[in-house]
Amino acid sequence: MQNEVVSREQWLEARRALLLKEKEATRLRDSVNAQRLALPWVKVDKDYGFETPAGSKSLADLFDGRSQLLIYHFMLGPDWDAGCPGCSFLCDHVDGALTHLNHHDVTWVAVSRAPLDKIAAYKSRMGWQFPWVSSFGSDFNFDYHVSFSPEDLAKDKVFYNFTPMPPDDANDELPGISAFYRNDKGEVFHTYSSYARGPEELIGTLMILDRAPKGRNEDGTMNFVRRHDEYEEAPKAPSCCH
């Protein structure tokens, strides 16, 4: 299907009308960002343990000397054979940002409930460099509402994305991102979390596709996405000889 074809003058008129909407969306995003920064914080008093390549660490240790910590709740359960394709798609975009984040006082860490050896194997397969630790045996994933036990999924509702939802719409693992701050006294505060499509803006490929003629060209949310080593060979460009 092809869009309506018009003159350059008609296109320019339509483009200027859309530009007004784009500027409105930018101003709204700026406003939402300001409100996000103004959210109240919650002090984290519970001790959480994580297994890392350097041994056991606390939540405070994960800051790695910085005052800000972003944790990506990566869907890789203890009995999963591979990481979630959608989480993998997002994390394909992280390594290039690490240097910039670290030099702006932000540490990025992925956390999954899978044991560390399973995390290490999948991380090696994907070729990633960002820190990734295991919360296996910890309440962390459950307290931040991204992991659900069989008992949770047997209930009438599970709590995800700040809303009770039917367990049929859930899974044992779900995605999200959480932000934390550590002050000079070593106190840790939970400042923000976002779930479902909330972290979508972190996926630069989607933002690029939104500018392409066919957009995301999907039948369902990111249903075209594969792990980056699972795509079939790209189709050849059309030839004038065929």
Side-chain angles (χ1 to χ4, degrees):
M1 181 177 179
Q2 181 175 291
N3 289 21
E4 180 185 6
V5 177
V6 297
S7 68
R8 174 60 59 177
E9 291 74 18
Q10 289 172 304
W11 179 89
L12 187 58
E13 181 181 357
R15 181 63 188 91
R16 283 171 173 161
L18 178 60
L19 179 59
L20 295 177
K21 294 293 185 181
E22 290 177 335
K23 289 183 176 181
E24 181 181 344
T26 298
R27 289 190 292 269
L28 179 58
R29 185 179 69 235
D30 291 342
S31 174
V32 169
N33 287 343
Q35 292 176 59
R36 181 184 298 118
L37 293 177
L39 278 174
W41 296 353
V42 177
K43 187 177 180 182
V44 180
D45 291 319
K46 191 169 183 177
D47 292 327
Y48 294 107
F50 303 88
E51 292 303 314
T52 82
S56 298
K57 291 189 177 183
S58 67
L59 181 61
D61 293 332
L62 297 185
F63 283 77
D64 197 23
R66 302 180 182 91
S67 70
Q68 301 167 87
L69 172 67
L70 291 174
I71 286 183
Y72 183 68
H73 304 288
F74 195 111
M75 296 169 63
L76 180 56
D79 57 350
W80 288 33
D81 294 327
C84 160
C87 291
S88 301
F89 186 39
L90 185 149
C91 285
D92 278 339
H93 298 77
V94 173
D95 279 349
L98 280 181
T99 298
H100 305 287
L101 293 173
N102 291 167
H103 283 273
H104 207 53
D105 193 32
V106 176
T107 296
W108 170 284
V109 178
V111 172
S112 299
R113 282 203 310 127
L116 195 60
D117 58 347
K118 184 169 287 189
I119 288 174
Y122 188 66
K123 180 180 176 181
S124 176
R125 169 185 164 183
M126 294 289 101
W128 294 327
Q129 300 300 315
F130 58 81
W132 192 354
V133 305
S134 171
S135 60
F136 185 73
S138 164
D139 293 334
F140 182 77
N141 281 48
F142 299 101
D143 288 351
Y144 286 87
H145 307 290
V146 290
S147 292
F148 304 92
S149 67
E151 292 75 20
D152 292 329
L153 296 172
K155 297 176 181 177
D156 292 336
K157 300 286 184 180
V158 297
F159 190 78
Y160 179 67
N161 202 16
F162 313 106
T163 307
M165 60 184 286
D168 289 346
D169 295 335
N171 194 35
D172 58 335
E173 306 290 336
L174 289 173
I177 187 169
S178 293
F180 300 87
Y181 177 78
R182 187 182 184 191
N183 65 17
D184 292 339
K185 294 189 291 184
E187 298 171 314
V188 174
F189 302 87
H190 175 216
T191 67
Y192 178 75
S193 285
S194 181
Y195 304 100
R197 289 185 63 186
E200 186 174 272
E201 289 185 343
L202 279 62
I203 307 177
T205 300
L206 293 182
M207 304 302 108
I208 295 172
L209 287 174
D210 286 341
R211 276 79 178 165
K214 292 185 179 180
R216 301 185 187 187
N217 195 23
E218 58 189 6
D219 298 323
T221 303
M222 296 199 307
N223 69 340
F224 64 93
V225 172
R226 305 289 182 269
R227 298 177 185 90
H228 62 237
D229 62 354
E230 294 178 342
Y231 285 107
E232 297 178 2
E233 184 179 352
K236 296 179 179 179
S239 170
C240 62
C241 300
H242 295 281

